């Protein structure tokens, strides 16, 4: 064993992949983390395995994961170089080698985890379940943040983007994406469980000010926040504030007070709030 020798990669080949997967890999070879003449690096090997997994999942292969591929390195054929094979495991389930397409999207709106849903509204391949006379959130608000669309290939990046955008509305305490393969097809039905956060928040803020001009005094702010005020993920904030200051300079008796109220409204995007 020679510990002072730097091993580099002589050749890199991807073995045992089906034709469609192999085409995807070849189309992104310039992005590979393992290239000929590079030093042999374990971190790069792990990174490439993750890159291939993400590549596959961004192109419909929902059930593919990094553990389905392994490396075989030959360090004897060429001096101080490794012939590297990135090979797909044998005996994988058929679902891992098949492209999947988004099917029916089923959205469930709940105010609490245990709430029983009694009503629904359907729009083509979308169904929204809720309790009450109308959905607590206008369907268009959710659908424009949901990047996964029926009859499109599953895409992992769009899955993550959808999760981030829906959570960024600030009105849900939890969101959960569940994908279920439809028997005998290449279709993934999506169930999206959304649990609303508490609609109201009350807050109190206190502060003690000390100014360089010799004034000190307390300050108080109290307010309430209403989430999803118009069923469009809007947020209304109303607060009352007041402060009182007195002078600490000798010979000066000067007191000052201030009070007022503020109100603000936030929209998730620039739209007319009562339409859509």
């Amino acid at each position: 064993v020679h510990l002072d020798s730097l091993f580099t990669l002589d050749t890199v080949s991807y073995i045992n992949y089906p034709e469609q997967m192999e085409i995807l890999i070849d189309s992104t070879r310039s992005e590979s983390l393992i290239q000929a003449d590079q030093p042999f690096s374990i971190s790069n090997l792990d990174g490439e395995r993750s890159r291939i997994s993400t590549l596959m999942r961004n192109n419909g292969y929902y059930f593919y994961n990094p553990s389905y591929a392994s490396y075989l390195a030959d360090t004897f054929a060429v001096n101080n170089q490794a012939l590297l094979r990135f090979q797909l495991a044998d005996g994988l389930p058929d679902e891992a080698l098949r492209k999947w397409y988004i099917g029916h999207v089923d959205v469930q709106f709940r105010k609490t985890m245990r709430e029983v849903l009694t009503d629904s509204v359907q729009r083509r391949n979308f169904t929204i379940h809720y309790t009450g006379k109308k959905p607590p959130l206008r369907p268009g608000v959710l659908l424009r943040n949901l990047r996964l669309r029926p009859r499109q290939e599953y895409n992992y990046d769009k899955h993550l983007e959808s999760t981030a955008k829906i959570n960024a509305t600030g009105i849900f305490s939890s969101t959960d994406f569940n994908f279920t393969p439809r028997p005998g097809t290449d279709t993934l039905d999506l169930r999206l469980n959304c649990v609303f956060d508490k609609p109201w928040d009350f807050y109190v803020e206190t502060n003690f000010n000390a100014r360089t001009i010799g004034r000190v005094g307390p300050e108080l702010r109290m307010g309430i926040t209403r989430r999803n005020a118009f069923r469009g993920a809007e947020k209304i904030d109303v607060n009352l504030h007041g402060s009182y200051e007195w002078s600490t300079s000798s010979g000066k008796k000067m007191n000052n007070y201030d009070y007022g109220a503020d109100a603000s409204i936030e929209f998730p995007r620039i739209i007319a709030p009562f339409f859509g």
Side-chain angles (χ1 to χ4, degrees):
V1 177
H2 301 282
L3 300 180
D4 59 347
S5 299
L6 174 65
F7 275 79
T8 58
L9 301 179
D10 180 66
T11 57
V12 179
S13 56
Y14 296 79
I15 306 299
N16 207 28
Y17 278 90
E19 181 180 0
Q20 291 300 318
M21 286 185 166
E22 188 174 350
I23 292 174
L24 281 176
I25 294 173
D26 289 341
S27 67
T28 61
R29 287 294 289 268
S30 61
E31 303 172 12
S32 176
L33 301 179
I34 49 175
Q35 302 278 0
D37 298 325
Q38 288 183 347
F40 185 91
S41 169
I42 295 298
S43 62
N44 285 349
L45 299 186
D46 290 338
E48 177 66 4
R49 184 153 50 185
S50 297
R51 187 189 74 85
I52 293 297
S53 177
T54 301
L55 174 66
M56 295 303 167
R57 300 196 72 198
N58 279 340
N59 287 274
Y61 296 94
Y62 172 75
F63 291 99
Y64 186 94
N65 69 68
S67 65
Y68 288 163
S70 60
Y71 289 100
L72 181 64
D74 184 354
T75 59
F76 293 98
V78 181
N79 189 35
N80 289 339
Q81 288 190 317
L83 280 65
L84 191 65
R85 295 178 60 180
F86 186 97
Q87 54 189 24
L88 190 66
D90 294 324
L92 294 180
D94 181 64
E95 63 185 18
L97 305 177
R98 179 194 308 174
K99 281 192 174 186
W100 293 89
Y101 298 83
I102 302 299
H104 192 83
V105 178
D106 194 76
V107 181
Q108 298 186 349
F109 286 142
R110 285 186 169 87
K111 296 179 181 178
T112 63
M113 291 292 293
R114 298 184 179 181
E115 183 180 31
V116 177
L117 304 179
T118 58
D119 299 278
S120 65
V121 59
Q122 186 166 352
R123 293 185 176 182
R124 295 184 180 180
N125 291 310
F126 292 92
T127 301
I128 297 178
H129 299 269
Y130 58 94
T131 298
K133 295 182 179 180
K134 55 186 178 182
L137 181 70
R138 294 198 301 271
V141 176
L142 180 75
L143 296 183
R144 67 169 170 258
N145 290 316
L146 184 64
R147 310 302 296 170
L148 298 170
R149 289 287 185 262
R151 298 186 296 275
Q152 291 183 356
E153 287 181 355
Y154 170 82
N155 186 288
Y156 180 62
D157 284 347
K158 289 183 178 180
H159 180 179
L160 295 181
E161 183 182 356
S162 299
T163 302
K165 284 182 174 292
I166 292 174
N167 288 334
T169 60
I171 62 175
F172 299 114
S173 62
S174 68
T175 55
D176 183 33
F177 287 73
N178 291 317
F179 296 90
T180 304
R182 194 180 299 174
T185 69
D186 57 358
T187 301
L188 283 176
D189 290 324
L190 167 61
R191 172 170 292 182
L192 174 57
N193 298 308
C194 299
V195 180
F196 283 89
D197 203 349
K198 295 179 180 179
W200 294 94
D201 269 345
F202 174 76
Y203 61 89
V204 177
E205 299 176 2
T206 61
N207 191 26
F208 190 84
N209 298 319
R211 302 181 185 275
T212 57
I213 59 175
R215 290 182 181 179
V216 297
E219 180 181 9
L220 176 68
R221 182 183 297 269
M222 296 187 299
I224 57 174
T225 301
R226 177 68 165 92
R227 296 187 181 90
N228 197 32
F230 307 116
R231 297 175 50 245
E234 305 87 355
K235 183 188 294 184
I236 294 178
D237 183 90
V238 178
N239 67 76
L240 301 173
H241 58 85
S243 63
Y244 180 77
E245 297 179 347
W246 63 87
S247 176
T248 59
S249 302
S250 59
K252 292 183 179 181
K253 295 182 179 181
M254 184 179 294
N255 299 334
N256 183 43
Y257 64 89
D258 180 34
Y259 61 89
D262 295 320
S264 65
I265 180 170
E266 295 180 12
F267 294 98
R269 59 183 297 185
I270 303 176
I271 57 172
F274 301 103
F275 298 91

